Structures are given as structure tokens and as C-alpha cells.
Amino acid sequence: MVFLAGQTALDADGKIVGESLPEQFARALTNLLAALTAAGGSASDLARVTVYVTDVAAYRENAAELGSIWRELAGRDYPAMAVVGIVRLWDEQALVELDGFAVLDR
């Protein structure tokens, strides 16, 4: 099992990038998948992902686009997922954070 710590829209310089929820979601998912790849896994190994958002209404409004981003970056399979509304994240500019775990076949 690989446990993936929360990933936000941080760039290589440690700065939050993207103004919109879809932009930040894409970057956070890219970061999560990069961590999983570094551990020897792939998107198909994801068993669960939790999405923390500062605005659940914005998540709902952008659900179709977020689903499209997921399919583009992670494929057509979805792990068990939950969306949790929160007041704020560690970085005040962050709108979304993803964490999860994966089960790798060895």
C-alpha cells in the first residue's frame, strides 16, 4: 500500500499556481500522480482519493470539467472518492487538496 499525503497546486518553487478550482485541481492531481509514480504505482492503482475543497458549491459547478481533467490525467477508472468542504488549507491561496492511497500489485 502507498499512502499519498495531501497534494495541492504547488509548483516546483513551492508556490500555488492557478486561479480557478479546475486549474488548481489539475495541478494537485498531477502532483498526486507524480508522487504515486515515484513510489512505483500508476493511476490505476489508486484505491481511494479524498478531495478537500474550500468551496463545495464551486466543486459542484465545475464537476463536469473536473471529471474531464481526471479522465485526461488519470484515465477512465475512478477510485472510491469523497469530497470534503473545509474552511481553508495550509496555503491560503489553495482551493483544493487531494490525498489518497493506492494498492500496488507486487
Side-chain angles (χ1 to χ4, degrees), residues 22-84:
E23 290 170 323
Q24 287 198 18
F25 181 85
R27 184 55 180 243
L29 181 55
T30 297
N31 292 345
L32 186 83
L33 294 173
L36 179 54
T37 299
S42 67
S44 64
D45 297 317
L46 285 168
R48 179 165 176 81
V49 172
T50 304
V51 180
Y52 302 93
V53 294
T54 58
D55 186 345
V56 174
Y59 186 92
R60 287 177 152 187
E61 289 169 12
N62 290 283
E65 184 176 359
L66 298 175
S68 179
I69 292 166
W70 180 278
R71 287 186 299 279
E72 178 184 330
L73 297 175
R76 299 199 64 79
D77 294 326
Y78 288 84
M81 296 180 81
V83 176
V84 179

Side-chain angles (χ1 to χ4, degrees), residues 8 10 16 54 86 88-94 97:
T8 59
L10 290 176
I16 296 291
T54 58
I86 58 171
R88 67 164 285 219
L89 292 160
W90 182 264
D91 291 302
E92 289 187 38
Q93 303 83 6
E97 182 172 327

